[in-house]
Amino acid sequence: MKVHVVYAHPLKTSLAARLHETVVTNLTAAGHEVDDLDLYADGFNPVLSPEGRSDYHEVPKNRELVDDYVTRLQACEALVLCHPVWNFGWPAILKGYFDRVFLPEVSFVFQKNRLGPGLTNIRRLTSVTTYGSKRWRAMVLGDAPRKNGTRFLRAVCHPRVRVDYHALYNIDRVGQAEIDGFIDRVGRKMREY
């Protein structure tokens, strides 16, 4: 299977970096073709410019500035997001990726006066993430990253997409054994992908 991994964290020494490495290593070991996109290393510009917004509905012109990212997304069968949760949301660079790459006639299509999914090539969707807060606090605040990773993204993928959400909450207060256990579970899930 061709798996597109989208990673969003600036520090090479972070827990997110360890999880990203775990994801890529284990997917590769399982025999999958991995297209790894590190948004920071790639220099992705998350800012939606006035020109980009003006051209948003102008197909195919809307793709010109992000065509390589769109092509990579449309070529995969599975999408794995690797990121931390900051301020109860996606990191700005990841949010900008969705704002700029998930365009009309890319992530959604117009069908008989209604919207339909545009990324029907994606049949597996996984998020691997960490939270600084406890799960109950994230839930009280709506847990937008979980909803986005399991509902919003599901709506733009294949109608029978399989969705997995792997999250370690309260990372500032859990012990090393719990962190290592989470990394091991993520690795096992990627080998079973």
Side-chain angles (χ1 to χ4, degrees):
M1 180 180 339
K2 186 165 185 179
V3 183
H4 190 32
V5 176
V6 178
Y7 170 59
H9 197 290
L11 300 177
K12 295 183 186 312
T13 58
S14 66
L15 175 55
R18 286 182 60 201
L19 288 165
H20 172 239
E21 181 182 350
T22 298
V23 165
V24 172
T25 298
N26 285 280
L27 285 170
T28 302
H32 299 292
E33 179 184 345
V34 177
D35 175 14
D36 187 21
L37 171 59
D38 179 336
L39 293 172
Y40 282 95
D42 201 60
F44 181 78
N45 179 1
V47 177
L48 182 61
S49 68
E51 175 190 5
R53 184 59 189 112
S54 292
D55 294 339
Y56 184 78
H57 291 284
E58 299 299 322
V59 178
K61 187 176 183 183
N62 62 352
R63 288 177 56 157
E64 289 176 359
L65 299 174
V66 291
D67 192 52
D68 180 55
Y69 298 104
V70 170
T71 300
R72 292 169 76 175
L73 187 63
Q74 290 178 330
C76 70
E77 300 164 86
L79 176 63
V80 178
L81 304 177
C82 250
H83 62 87
V85 169
W86 288 337
N87 297 304
F88 296 98
W90 282 328
I93 198 167
L94 184 59
K95 176 65 169 79
Y97 171 83
F98 290 115
D99 288 347
R100 294 194 61 218
V101 178
F102 278 51
L103 299 164
E105 301 302 320
V106 174
S107 67
F108 61 93
V109 295
F110 296 100
Q111 301 172 331
K112 298 178 184 176
N113 297 324
R114 59 179 223 157
L115 295 176
L119 294 170
T120 55
N121 54 296
I122 299 177
R123 296 177 155 285
R124 294 267 328 243
L125 174 63
T126 302
S127 293
V128 176
T129 190
T130 58
Y131 290 70
S133 73
K134 294 180 180 180
R135 183 159 186 204
W136 69 264
R137 182 171 288 137
M139 288 175 60
V140 165
L141 294 172
D143 204 350
R146 180 179 285 270
K147 287 179 181 174
N148 285 334
T150 60
R151 295 179 189 176
F152 153 63
L153 292 176
R154 171 180 285 181
V156 300
C157 294
H158 190 278
R160 294 189 181 146
V161 65
R162 177 178 167 183
V163 179
D164 297 301
Y165 194 83
H166 307 291
L168 179 61
Y169 290 84
N170 206 27
I171 63 168
D172 298 326
R173 292 167 200 85
V174 298
Q176 192 60 48
E178 192 168 348
I179 291 170
D180 292 342
F182 181 70
I183 293 170
D184 289 344
R185 283 191 303 278
V186 167
R188 186 176 68 251
K189 292 292 186 182
M190 294 302 112
R191 287 190 304 277
E192 296 169 354
Y193 215 68

